[in-house]
Amino acid sequence: MRIDERIEQHYSELGPQEQKAADTLLDRLGDLAVYNAAELAQLSGVSKATMSRLFRRLGFADFNEVKEHTRSLRSSGVPLARQEGDGGLPLHLAQEQQNLDRLFDTLDDDRLLNVAQQLAEARNVLLIGFRNSFPVALHLRQQLLQCRSSVSLAPQPGQSVGEELAGLDGNDVVVLLGFRRRPDRFQHVLKAATSTGASTILIGDPSARWLASDASLWIECPVEGSGAFDSYASAMSLMSVIANGVLAAKGRSGRDRVREITGVFDALEEIERR
């Protein structure tokens, strides 16, 4: 059970001092890494012995185990609010730069060229993204459609994935966006995509690394945020790099499609021209 669930389960059984300590824990779950047990007790207005007793009541051996528990929650994508100042924009910028550095340290031009060529030459491209991954997949589809046809997105609102996978084969490519807090059966979708014979490209944060062996190609893309919520700046940057690579790989046919689409935009007056 998560620490907040444990506190809720036992809260009515706690004494007044323990409840004060529990309230402080709940308020500062996102900040626990910067405290030691004595400092947390002082913030709560209780003794260190009371704080230690609360840890044991909640099923933890000590404060270090509590901190490890909250770190595991954050690494799985659970948004933990911070009471302390988060460093504002400078810390946010530093985290974004770190994410980008980590992303592009694991990539090289040859690997990106391989991805671009696969997406350029495939008969059909299927992009799959659930939950937080869906808008990233949607953005990649919008970019790829500028330079090639037959790019689909799943799951569509109210729809399932099975019918999108049916009929795919070795001429097709499936890109699965698997950022953390994935649906429980995400691995089943990945394996089903692989079983069609299509090439599968898995893109996700480090929590999806254990799934990499089920895909044809794995790209790790960190989404750590400086605050409670994940940031997808590095993911969107990666989508831009991939889309530009596909346009280059398509050559003249890609440029012709861009020109054709732009002409349709003009005819329909869909895009502002100022």
Side-chain angles (χ1 to χ4, degrees), residues 134-255:
F134 185 83
V136 182
L138 179 63
H139 179 68
L140 180 57
R141 178 178 184 268
Q142 190 274 335
Q143 297 296 301
L144 292 182
L145 278 175
Q146 304 297 310
C147 57
R148 61 152 297 150
S149 59
S150 301
V151 182
S152 54
L153 177 68
Q156 291 294 323
Q159 300 298 308
S160 52
V161 177
E163 59 266 44
E164 304 290 346
L165 293 173
L168 298 182
D169 59 30
N171 296 307
D172 306 310
V173 174
V174 180
V175 181
L176 299 100
L177 285 302
F179 294 104
R180 57 196 186 186
R181 308 203 87 181
R182 297 173 294 276
D184 190 49
R185 297 183 66 82
F186 182 85
Q187 185 183 26
H188 295 271
V189 176
L190 172 56
K191 287 186 173 182
T194 301
S195 70
T196 66
S199 178
T200 51
I201 300 172
L202 174 62
I203 301 173
D205 65 279
S207 72
R209 194 180 296 150
W210 69 281
L211 297 165
S213 61
D214 292 323
S216 307
L217 190 147
W218 156 247
I219 299 177
E220 187 168 308
C221 181
V223 292
E224 290 289 341
S226 61
F229 296 102
D230 290 341
S231 172
Y232 287 83
S234 60
M236 288 300 193
S237 179
L238 177 60
M239 298 306 104
S240 176
V241 169
I242 290 174
N244 279 298
V246 174
L247 177 58
K250 292 295 289 184
R252 181 172 181 175
S253 67
R255 295 191 298 272

Side-chain angles (χ1 to χ4, degrees), residues 120-137:
E121 296 169 4
R123 178 184 60 186
N124 299 294
V125 173
L126 173 62
L127 309 176
I128 298 178
F130 299 93
R131 295 173 51 79
N132 289 350
S133 299
F134 185 83
V136 182

Side-chain angles (χ1 to χ4, degrees), residues 40-117:
L40 200 61
Q42 185 177 16
L43 283 170
S44 306
V46 303
S47 68
K48 185 177 177 180
T50 297
M51 186 63 72
S52 296
R53 187 166 59 250
L54 173 63
F55 298 153
R56 293 192 296 272
R57 289 282 293 270
L58 297 177
F60 299 102
D62 53 30
F63 186 45
N64 286 333
E65 193 170 307
V66 173
K67 289 200 286 188
E68 182 59 34
H69 173 72
T70 57
R71 276 195 293 267
S72 69
L73 290 178
R74 186 66 193 94
S75 66
S76 69
V78 176
L80 301 178
R82 298 170 60 96
Q83 284 288 326
E84 299 298 317
D86 64 3
L89 290 177
L91 182 59
H92 176 77
L93 177 60
Q95 183 63 66
E96 298 289 13
Q97 187 62 59
Q98 181 180 335
N99 288 347
L100 287 168
D101 289 342
R102 287 173 57 194
L103 167 63
F104 291 108
D105 280 346
T106 65
L107 294 174
D108 55 48
D109 288 337
D110 289 341
R111 197 162 178 222
L112 286 171
L113 180 60
N114 178 27
V115 172
Q117 288 178 331

Side-chain angles (χ1 to χ4, degrees), residues 18-52:
E18 290 176 324
Q19 287 184 347
K20 287 177 62 178
D23 290 339
T24 300
L25 277 179
L26 288 174
D27 288 342
R28 298 180 181 273
L29 287 180
D31 295 317
L32 292 186
V34 303
Y35 297 111
N36 58 42
E39 291 169 334
L40 200 61
Q42 185 177 16
L43 283 170
S44 306
V46 303
S47 68
K48 185 177 177 180
T50 297
M51 186 63 72
S52 296

